[in-house]
Every structure is written in C-alpha cells, then in structure tokens.
Amino acid sequence: MATLQPVRGTHDLLPEDMRAQRHVADTAAAVSLLYGFEEMTPPVFEFTEVFKRTLGDTSDIVTKEMYTFEDRGGDSITLRPEFTAGIARAFMSNGLQQSVPVKFFARGPVFRYERPQKGRLRQFHQVDVEILGVPGPQADIEVIAVGAHLLKTLGVADDVTLEINTLGDTESRQNYRDTLVSYLNGHKDKLSEDSLNRLEKNPLRIFDSKDEGDRTVMAEAPLLSEHLNDHSRQFFDEVLQGLSDIGVETNINPRLVRGLDYYSHTAFEFVTDKLGAQGAVLAGGRYDGLMEQMGGRPMPGIGWAAGVERLAMMVGDAAGQVRPIAVVPVGGDAGRAAMKIAQSLREAGYHADLGYSGNMGKRMKRADKLNAIATVILGEDELARDAATVRDMQSGEQTEVPLKDLEAHLAKYR
C-alpha cells in the first residue's frame, strides 16, 4: 500500500516530535520578542519570479530543488524554499519602506527537493529573523546576539561554534572576484561540471562545493580577506568588537562565503558536530543588495534562518511532556461529578485527564501511563462529604480535600 505512506522526504509530526519542534519554535519567538522582533508570515507559495530573482539562476535551490508548478490560471508558482525572499517581497508590497527599521520573526514549513538524510527533509521547518533598514554593524551584532541567545536558552550553546566572515562591500568583492576567477581559470581541468558553470556567474559559490576535486582547488584559493578596503575592514572589526562586548565568542572562517551578489559584509553560521554531516544549525548574513535586485529601491538588510528539525534533534526531550491531573471516579454515581470537576479544572488552566471507562484499577494504570502528576479520586463516600481524595503520584501521599478548596490545593501541581 505505497499510497498510504508519506511522500519521500516528508514525515508525520506525531505528538513527541511536535512537542520538541513547538518548544524550539516557541522559544525562538519568545527570545526574538525580547529584542523587539515581531512575528509575521509570508504566504507558503509565491510567484516563482520572487525566488528566481533572489536566489539566482545558477543556485542549486533554483536549478534542482524548488517545488515549482503552474496553477490553473497559468502562473508559475513555487512553494517557498526559504523565508528571506518572501519577507523582502512583503516589505515592498506593503509599503514598509517608510517604517524602517523593521524587525521580523517568522516560522513555518519550507520545501526543497533534496536527497533526504538525517536532519534534511523535503518539507522541513525554519525559524527566521530579519532586520531591514539598518546599514550599520549594530544590526549585525543584534541579529547574531538573538541567535546566540536562542541556542543558549535551548541549552545547546556548548555544542555549537559561531563561524563568521566578511564578504566586504561591493568594491572589495569585485576586486576579489577578479583575482579568484583568474586563479580558477588556471585550474579548470580539476573543477567539477557544476563549478565550471558557476565560474563565470557565481565563482564564490565554488567554496560551497562538496566535490573533492573542487575542495582541493579551493583549499589553495586566494581569500577575500586579503582584498578588503578600509571601510570593509572597519565594518567587520566593529561587528567582532560588538560581539565580544556582549560575550559572544567568534571563530573567523575566511572560507565562509555567500555566493549571491546581493550579500555583503557579515556572513555567519552556528555549526555543530552533533548531527553528522549537517553542520550548520543557524546561518545568515547581510544582504544589502537584495531589494534592488528584486526591483525595489536599495534597502539594507540582515537576518538568519535556523532549521527547527535540526535544533529539535539537539534539544531532544527537553521540552518535556505536560503531566496531567487524572480525575478518577469510583462507582456509577461519581461519573457526572468527575466530568464537572474535570471541566472546572480545565477552565482554571489545569491539564486534566478523565478516562472514558474502566474501574479504579484501570483508571489508575492510565494515570501512570500518562505520567500524571496527581490524581483526584472521587468515591461515593467522599462525594457525600463534598470532598475528594488527592494522591500525589510522586510520593504516594493522599489527602482528603473539600471540593471547594480543590483548585487551590492543586495549585502546586500547575
């Protein structure tokens, strides 16, 4: 029954997975809000041109990975492979140029046709932050600080390293590009077909190649850091100093690049060795040329995205399952009272479980299976006294509590 299996590269988020992913995404939203990032979300699909313009015709995402289709109106539509392009389009569509700086947080599913492997799916989830309208290094420092704060709050900061580099301004990058192309032209016979295609349009992207021949060539390639002008050096120095001032440790990686022309200055990744080959868990950079490339007026921007699945794998079961209060009626007449009490507890904000059937033994087994923190036992004798017996499931201690005091008594289990 192949049709009853999920599509390759997708998976069902059952409660345990959902709990971990919700913990990651909700924590990201809460941490971002501390820095003034407000939540928004662009549509799950956009006109294909939005992504083609921003990701570049030679990028793997555009050439191999986008889920693109023609809708019934004849328009070419693409499921979002990342958030930045949609957020930039929303910024322009909604006339937010007059409101800068704007700080956005977004979360949700993204779609790429990739070879599925550990930590990499075809439908996966990201959290994303962006600052639009700030040209100075303060924005770079703040965006990276949010990422570091998130990883610390999730308890995985000790398992990641912040790698950072500068791509310089347009002038620096053009000078470097000419030098890099000259070097690569002398090693064409060792480059892969993909890298030969990138050589003219997108030579910096060859640094990202996984091909062993390409990697050997790039290990000896000239570095962008050797071609920075004074402005670019000063910008990067200010970013590094600012991060140091707030206690964020950095590791300069001169081979960390972003191949697309609209990227500039800061590029960074928080990487880990805890997930096998998939090293980056949170990555981003400055993209001052993006809006102009999309047809808008120049507008500086910087942001990052993080894979929720990868972070959830690192966090594990730290989210923890909510431990309910089990309401256990004993005897036929206690059922109606139990339903009323369970409802009043839920409306007071307690997670209350009321089994549908079974004697006291079966219901107590259910309470154990649910890892209940306490049980409220309602026997006919207790109900005659307008009371219930509360059992602490940790200690086994039992206390008879008047029904009118029940909510207050259970407060310690909230």
Side-chain angles (χ1 to χ4, degrees), residues 114-130:
E114 298 186 286
R115 186 168 62 84
Q117 54 187 286
K118 183 180 180 183
R120 175 170 282 182
L121 295 161
R122 291 177 177 174
Q123 177 183 323
F124 56 105
H125 298 78
Q126 286 186 340
V127 289
D128 182 280
V129 302
E130 312 285 351

Side-chain angles (χ1 to χ4, degrees), residues 51-251:
F51 300 114
K52 274 199 161 186
R53 278 192 183 190
T54 56
L55 295 171
D57 288 334
T58 63
S59 75
D60 282 350
I61 294 176
V62 169
T63 58
K64 302 174 186 174
E65 297 171 6
M66 293 203 316
Y67 276 94
T68 297
F69 59 95
E70 191 174 293
D71 70 7
R72 293 184 180 185
D75 292 316
S76 181
I77 301 295
T78 294
L79 298 179
R80 66 178 174 221
E82 51 93 48
F83 272 98
T84 306
I87 290 174
R89 195 271 314 142
F91 175 85
M92 291 188 283
S93 300
N94 291 283
L96 298 178
Q97 293 90 338
Q98 309 307 317
S99 305
V100 295
V102 297
K103 298 160 76 169
F104 287 140
F105 168 81
R107 55 177 153 182
V110 287
F111 306 85
R112 294 184 194 174
Y113 190 87
E114 298 186 286
R115 186 168 62 84
Q117 54 187 286
K118 183 180 180 183
R120 175 170 282 182
L121 295 161
R122 291 177 177 174
Q123 177 183 323
F124 56 105
H125 298 78
Q126 286 186 340
V127 289
D128 182 280
V129 302
E130 312 285 351
I131 298 181
L132 300 168
V134 181
Q138 305 98 317
D140 307 50
I141 297 161
E142 186 170 280
V143 156
I144 294 170
V146 177
H149 193 156
L150 169 61
L151 297 170
K152 185 176 180 181
T153 306
L154 290 172
V156 300
D158 291 343
D159 294 327
V160 298
T161 302
L162 170 58
E163 297 198 340
I164 191 168
N165 193 24
T166 177
L167 306 176
D169 58 13
T170 304
E171 179 187 74
S172 299
R173 212 163 46 258
Q174 188 57 52
N175 291 339
Y176 171 64
R177 183 183 176 130
D178 294 344
T179 303
L180 180 63
V181 169
S182 175
Y183 167 79
L184 292 172
N185 277 331
H187 295 80
K188 275 185 171 182
D189 56 324
K190 303 186 190 80
L191 293 177
S192 68
E193 188 177 342
D194 275 350
S195 291
L196 287 172
N197 290 335
R198 290 172 181 153
L199 180 54
E200 298 308 320
K201 286 188 177 179
N202 224 332
L204 269 70
R205 290 211 63 244
I206 302 176
F207 276 107
D208 292 332
S209 174
K210 302 294 187 286
D211 180 86
E212 284 305 319
D214 293 344
R215 293 173 85 118
T216 301
V217 171
M218 298 314 286
E220 302 297 324
L223 297 175
L224 201 158
S225 55
E226 298 159 358
H227 294 77
L228 297 175
N229 58 23
D230 290 343
H231 167 68
S232 298
R233 285 184 192 282
Q234 183 179 349
F235 193 104
F236 192 43
D237 286 345
E238 287 185 35
V239 172
L240 295 175
Q241 185 61 58
L243 292 170
S244 175
D245 289 345
I246 60 173
V248 176
E249 293 183 16
T250 56
N251 179 35

Side-chain angles (χ1 to χ4, degrees), residues 326 328-330 360 364 375-379 382 387-391 398:
V328 177
V330 182
M360 182 175 175
M364 292 304 291
T375 54
V376 176
I377 301 167
L378 297 163
E382 288 100 335
T389 297
V390 176
R391 179 184 295 180
Q398 293 194 167

Side-chain angles (χ1 to χ4, degrees), residues 294-337:
M294 292 180 75
R297 72 182 199 204
M299 182 64 61
I302 183 168
W304 55 252
V308 173
E309 279 83 356
R310 293 184 192 179
L311 286 173
M313 286 163 64
M314 294 181 72
V315 170
D317 204 26
Q321 186 173 359
V322 176
R323 298 183 68 186
I325 292 165
V327 181
V328 177
V330 182
D333 295 338
R336 287 178 63 193

